[in-house]
Amino acid sequence: LNGGVPVSTTDKPDLDYSYDQPGEFDKTCGTFGLDAFQLPHEECLEKYVCDAPLSNDPGLKSFAKCVDAMDCHMMTGMTTNAGPSDTTIGLFNYHMIPHHQNAVNMAKALLHSGVLDCPDLTLE
C-alpha cells in the first residue's frame, strides 16, 4: 500500500524468478523441502518414529512417515563440524535454521492432517 492505495491491482506481480513448488511427498504431508529426505536415506537413521507401522490408525502411519522425513532433514542440516574459524554465534545459527524449518513443517503437517478441531481460536 502507498498511502492506503494499492500499489498493484494484481495479486501476483511479475517476478524475475519462480517460486519453488512442493514435491509429491511434500504434497501428501503439507510440508516443503522434504522429498529428498524420505527414509531410507544414507545420512539418516533407519527410523525416528518407532512402531508407527503397528498402529491401526492410517492417519498416524502417514503422519509418522512425514515426521521421519522431517527428522532426517533436521538431522542432516544440523550435523556439522566446528572448526577453528567458526564462531559460537555461527554454530548456533547453523543449527537454528534447520530446527526452525522443521518446526514450520511440523505445524504445517499437523494442520494438513485434519486432526485439529479449532473452530474458534479466540477461546484458547
Side-chain angles (χ1 to χ4, degrees):
L1 293 175
N2 182 7
V5 179
V7 175
S8 173
T9 58
T10 62
D11 288 336
K12 295 182 180 180
D14 291 333
L15 302 173
D16 58 351
Y17 61 90
S18 59
Y19 287 108
D20 291 333
Q21 298 297 315
E24 291 305 311
F25 180 74
D26 279 311
K27 289 177 185 176
T28 66
C29 295
T31 55
F32 187 80
L34 298 181
D35 280 53
F37 296 95
Q38 297 174 73
L39 300 182
H41 187 281
E42 66 182 15
E43 296 180 65
C44 296
L45 298 175
E46 182 181 326
K47 62 182 171 180
Y48 295 93
V49 179
C50 300
D51 298 330
L54 302 176
S55 172
N56 293 326
D57 181 351
L60 177 61
K61 289 180 185 182
S62 177
F63 189 72
K65 288 180 183 178
C66 299
V67 170
D68 277 338
M70 286 180 236
D71 288 350
C72 177
H73 175 266
M74 190 166 62
M75 180 78 115
T76 60
M78 293 175 67
T79 303
T80 184
N81 293 317
S85 63
D86 291 326
T87 65
T88 302
I89 294 171
L91 184 58
F92 173 85
N93 289 338
Y94 193 81
H95 280 76
M96 292 311 288
I97 292 169
H99 170 78
H100 284 96
Q101 287 173 328
N102 199 42
V104 169
N105 267 336
M106 290 186 88
K108 290 169 68 174
L110 185 60
L111 288 171
H112 184 78
S113 73
V115 299
L116 296 178
D117 183 17
C118 301
D120 187 354
L121 292 177
T122 61
L123 299 175
E124 295 295 319

